[in-house]
Amino acid sequence: MITRRTHVALLAASLLLTGCGGGAVASTQGTPTPSQETSEPTPTPTPTPTPSPEISVEVAPQQIPGLGPKTWAKVPADARQAVVVTGRGRDSSASTVVLYERTVAGWRAGASRPAHNALNGWTDHHLAGDLRSPIGVYTLTDAGGLLKDPGTKLPYDRGVGFTARGTGFEGEPLAGSFDYVIAINYNRQPGTSPLDWTRPLGAGRGGGIWLHVDHGGPTHGCVSIAEDHMKELLRTLDPDLHPVVVMGDAKSLSR
């Protein structure tokens, strides 16, 4: 069942500091005598300084930090929300997630969250079973999970198909991993349930790449964050703001 709920978080702020100065005008004391008027020059008033122009002390960047020209060129011009997943290294399963939102002043960063990606790290050419997460920029259009919709504006598919079983690579239980998921539009049909197995690039290129609840270890190809952070992300993402995920190791994202 697909439901939609309202919650949007978009703020804009720009802090300005106005520098201004003042001056005093010199004057004589008392009434001068005629001799004083002829022998003493009249004091010249001190000019009042012109007020300084407004100076911006905080301006959000117009481009998301850490993204090089090749990566930045793939971010759609209409994107107003970007989930940036930055891997610790090409072969590392540790990463961080930051939600950036575009405001009138530029891109504003949210809190940095710890995350996991695939066991073997990252790849520019993901293949089924390679245990690497795909590097790239992908749209986010669909969500779902085993638990009820926490209040997202994304279409949300709830069902038992999101039941996770077994253990992870470090022996940790996978139960609850798919309580909340957001489908990453890598090799999938946007506008469908995350459970839809349509693979436009073919089955050999893998698929089923999601943002989902962290189980305490590396993933097969997904990106996982803590449950509270998943719920927060679901409540914040808004399809009207054309959200995307930008994901890869730091070096690759800087290209």
Side-chain angles (χ1 to χ4, degrees):
M1 179 179 69
I2 296 178
T3 61
R4 294 175 181 268
R5 301 189 182 178
T6 58
H7 181 82
V8 67
L10 181 63
L11 301 175
S14 176
L15 303 177
L16 297 177
L17 174 66
T18 304
C20 53
V25 177
S27 62
T28 58
Q29 301 295 321
T31 302
T33 62
S35 60
Q36 288 175 324
E37 289 177 346
T38 57
S39 62
E40 296 180 7
T42 302
T44 302
T46 302
T48 302
T50 303
S52 302
E54 291 185 335
I55 303 172
S56 176
V57 296
E58 182 177 328
V59 178
Q62 297 304 304
Q63 178 175 317
I64 297 174
L67 306 188
K70 182 178 178 180
T71 303
W72 182 248
K74 296 178 182 178
V75 177
D78 62 355
R80 295 295 181 270
Q81 292 179 318
V83 180
V84 179
V85 183
T86 306
R88 187 175 298 173
R90 184 80 172 197
D91 301 321
S92 173
S93 63
S95 52
T96 58
V97 170
V98 177
L99 173 63
Y100 284 85
E101 297 187 284
R102 190 170 184 177
T103 72
V104 293
W107 287 93
R108 180 174 57 84
S112 177
R113 312 294 195 186
H116 283 102
N117 52 271
L119 177 68
N120 293 336
W122 300 90
T123 180
D124 288 304
H125 189 77
H126 178 65
L127 297 173
D130 66 4
L131 299 181
R132 289 183 178 272
S133 298
I135 297 169
V137 179
Y138 307 102
T139 54
L140 301 172
T141 55
D142 307 283
L146 183 64
L147 302 183
K148 68 178 183 179
D149 181 355
T152 182
K153 282 191 170 184
L154 297 172
Y156 190 88
D157 179 27
R158 182 186 182 188
V160 296
F162 293 99
T163 302
R165 300 182 176 88
T167 56
F169 294 108
E170 297 178 354
E172 75 280 8
L174 299 180
S177 299
F178 305 149
D179 283 353
Y180 303 106
V181 311
I182 300 170
I184 293 172
N185 288 343
Y186 166 82
N187 198 20
R188 71 177 300 270
Q189 182 63 46
T192 63
S193 166
L195 295 174
D196 183 85
W197 286 94
T198 302
R199 299 290 179 257
L201 301 177
R205 293 296 305 277
I209 306 298
W210 298 344
L211 287 159
H212 65 69
V213 176
D214 188 65
H215 46 77
T219 71
H220 282 79
C222 300
V223 173
S224 62
I225 58 177
E227 181 176 352
D228 286 348
H229 301 157
M230 269 299 299
K231 291 168 69 175
E232 179 184 359
L233 192 59
L234 280 164
R235 292 169 180 151
T236 304
L237 293 181
D238 185 344
D240 290 340
L241 301 179
H242 310 285
V244 298
V245 61
V246 183
M247 52 194 287
D249 60 284
K251 185 176 180 180
S252 295
L253 293 182
S254 68
R255 292 181 295 194

